Amino acid sequence: MTISEVLKKNPKTAEVFMKHGMQCLGCPSAAGETVEQAAMVHGADADKLLEELNKVFENEE
């Protein structure tokens, strides 16, 4: 899933992305980069990032 898709499903995930150094959530890369790819580019731990994103979605249920 791309960053844009995650943000569309739950805008509250923006806080998690920014916490992990991904400040440019509206840039063209966000539309084409998967969460895993973005984590690699930004030197973030992909597993930790996904864990935190999943928690945001779980709290919405």
Side-chain angles (χ1 to χ4, degrees), residues 35-55:
V35 173
E36 183 178 23
Q37 290 167 332
M40 288 174 46
V41 168
H42 292 279
D45 181 333
D47 291 330
K48 180 86 172 143
L49 175 60
L50 288 171
E51 180 182 317
E52 292 182 26
L53 290 171
N54 284 328
K55 283 181 184 177

Side-chain angles (χ1 to χ4, degrees), residues 3-43:
I3 294 173
S4 304
E5 291 170 331
V6 174
L7 289 167
K8 284 179 188 169
K9 286 184 180 264
N10 190 328
K12 292 180 182 178
T13 57
E15 291 178 32
V16 176
F17 285 116
M18 289 190 284
K19 176 183 168 187
H20 287 269
M22 299 172 200
Q23 307 300 319
C24 186
L25 299 175
C27 69
S29 294
E33 272 184 341
T34 65
V35 173
E36 183 178 23
Q37 290 167 332
M40 288 174 46
V41 168
H42 292 279

